[in-house]
């Protein structure tokens, strides 16, 4: 039986501590990063702002009274995202979300705008684009978003549905109306009801909600039945 002298025991303890140190530092660093992102109102997976930051920015932008003819609001949804998770794993799904967020963020930053993760595989954005350039810009954005995403030893094919509305088409309407119009526009593009690019209209902004959500969204089927 080996004899563990006090010196050997101390050496072994030092080795175990040294081996555990990188993991402990990695965990501590991850916690610090998460806390910094949360404090900054940023999504911890993608690093871009969360929904409330977009709502606050849009509300301030339209409340300033400055000319808003070039304000464009967008909703972006990743098509068949569940299939990516099911077929390639959640690491692949996370890689797709991070990549899409980065592409959208850079596109928005070049147009004096803001991109945010609204939840799941859905993103929102608000940028400044002249009304006459809108179709061209939206086509370029979708082409950028739909480039394959590298993951492990493969390229993941991705596609996104993009809906938008322009403040010039909804003069005087509040931020919530613009966001709803973009949401409805995205849904119509996604379901093939209309061709892309499509800009949400006054009628889209007035679309009734079910349980506070656009018809067709998950959960709207849970609306209470009308009284007999």
């Amino acid at each position: 039986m080996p004899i563990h002298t006090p010196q050997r025991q101390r050496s072994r303890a030092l080795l175990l501590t040294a081996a555990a140190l990188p993991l402990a530092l990695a965990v501590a660093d991850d916690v610090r990063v998460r806390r910094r992102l949360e404090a900054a109102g940023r999504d911890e997976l993608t690093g871009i702002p969360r929904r409330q930051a977009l709502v606050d920015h849009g509300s301030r932008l339209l409340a300033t009274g400055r000319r808003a003819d070039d304000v464009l609001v967008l909703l972006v949804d990743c098509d068949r995202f569940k299939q990516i998770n099911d077929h390639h794993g959640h690491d692949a799904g996370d890689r797709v979300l991070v990549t899409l967020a980065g592409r959208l963020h850079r596109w928005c930053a070049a147009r004096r705008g803001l991109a945010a993760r609204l939840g799941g595989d859905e993103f929102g954005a608000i940028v400044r684009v002249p009304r006459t350039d809108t179709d061209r810009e939206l086509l370029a954005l979708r082409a950028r978003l739909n480039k394959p995403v590298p993951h492990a030893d493969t390229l993941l094919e991705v596609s996104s549905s993009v809906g938008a509305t322009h403040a010039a088409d909804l003069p005087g309407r509040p931020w919530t109306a613009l966001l709803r119009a973009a949401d409805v526009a995205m849904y119509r593009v996604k379901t093939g009801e209309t061709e892309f690019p499509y800009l949400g209209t006054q009628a889209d902004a007035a679309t009734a909600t079910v349980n506070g959500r656009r018809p067709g969204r998950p959960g709207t089927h849970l609306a209470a039945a009308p009284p007999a």
Side-chain angles (χ1 to χ4, degrees):
M1 174 181 295
I3 299 176
H4 296 290
T5 64
Q7 180 62 35
R8 179 175 294 179
Q9 290 174 341
R10 284 195 295 271
S11 298
R12 186 181 181 190
L14 287 173
L15 287 173
L16 291 173
T17 300
L21 186 59
L23 177 61
L25 290 175
V27 171
D29 186 62
D30 182 63
V31 170
R32 284 194 293 270
V33 169
R34 288 172 182 267
R35 286 176 178 172
R36 284 199 298 269
L37 289 173
E38 290 173 358
R42 293 182 177 273
D43 176 60
E44 64 181 39
L45 173 64
T46 63
I48 67 174
R50 296 195 294 259
R51 174 187 291 271
Q52 192 57 49
L54 184 69
V55 172
D56 292 344
H57 179 68
S59 298
R60 286 195 303 268
L61 187 62
L62 295 180
T64 57
R66 294 181 298 175
R67 190 171 72 82
D69 292 349
D70 59 351
V71 172
L72 183 69
V73 179
L74 303 98
L75 260 291
V76 177
D77 186 81
C78 182
D79 300 330
R80 298 180 296 279
F81 180 69
K82 184 177 184 301
Q83 293 180 19
I84 295 175
N85 276 331
D86 291 345
H87 295 166
H88 301 282
H90 289 280
D91 285 346
D94 287 349
R95 172 51 51 193
V96 168
L97 293 179
V98 170
T99 302
L100 290 181
R103 291 172 179 174
L104 182 61
H105 167 74
R106 289 187 291 274
W107 184 85
C108 291
R111 291 155 182 81
R112 297 176 295 160
L114 176 75
R117 185 183 180 194
L118 304 185
D121 59 328
E122 190 173 75
F123 301 89
I126 184 167
V127 294
R128 288 189 172 275
V129 172
R131 180 64 178 81
T132 53
D133 297 341
T134 300
D135 285 359
R136 176 178 57 80
E137 291 277 21
L138 289 176
L139 288 167
L141 170 62
R142 190 177 67 168
R144 173 184 292 203
L145 294 175
N146 290 353
K147 290 180 180 179
V149 174
H151 176 69
D153 297 326
T154 188
L155 288 175
L156 302 174
E157 296 295 329
V158 297
S159 66
S160 301
S161 296
V162 180
T165 193
H166 213 289
D169 296 337
L170 281 77
R173 298 301 296 272
W175 159 253
T176 51
L178 294 177
L179 192 62
R180 180 176 299 179
D183 188 25
V184 173
M186 184 273 291
Y187 182 68
R188 290 187 171 179
V189 169
K190 191 177 187 72
T191 58
E193 180 181 339
T194 186
E195 293 185 0
F196 179 81
Y198 171 75
L199 292 178
T201 65
Q202 292 278 11
D204 293 325
T207 299
T209 61
V210 180
N211 288 346
R213 298 170 67 79
R214 167 183 35 82
R217 276 182 173 275
T220 54
H221 67 286
L222 301 178

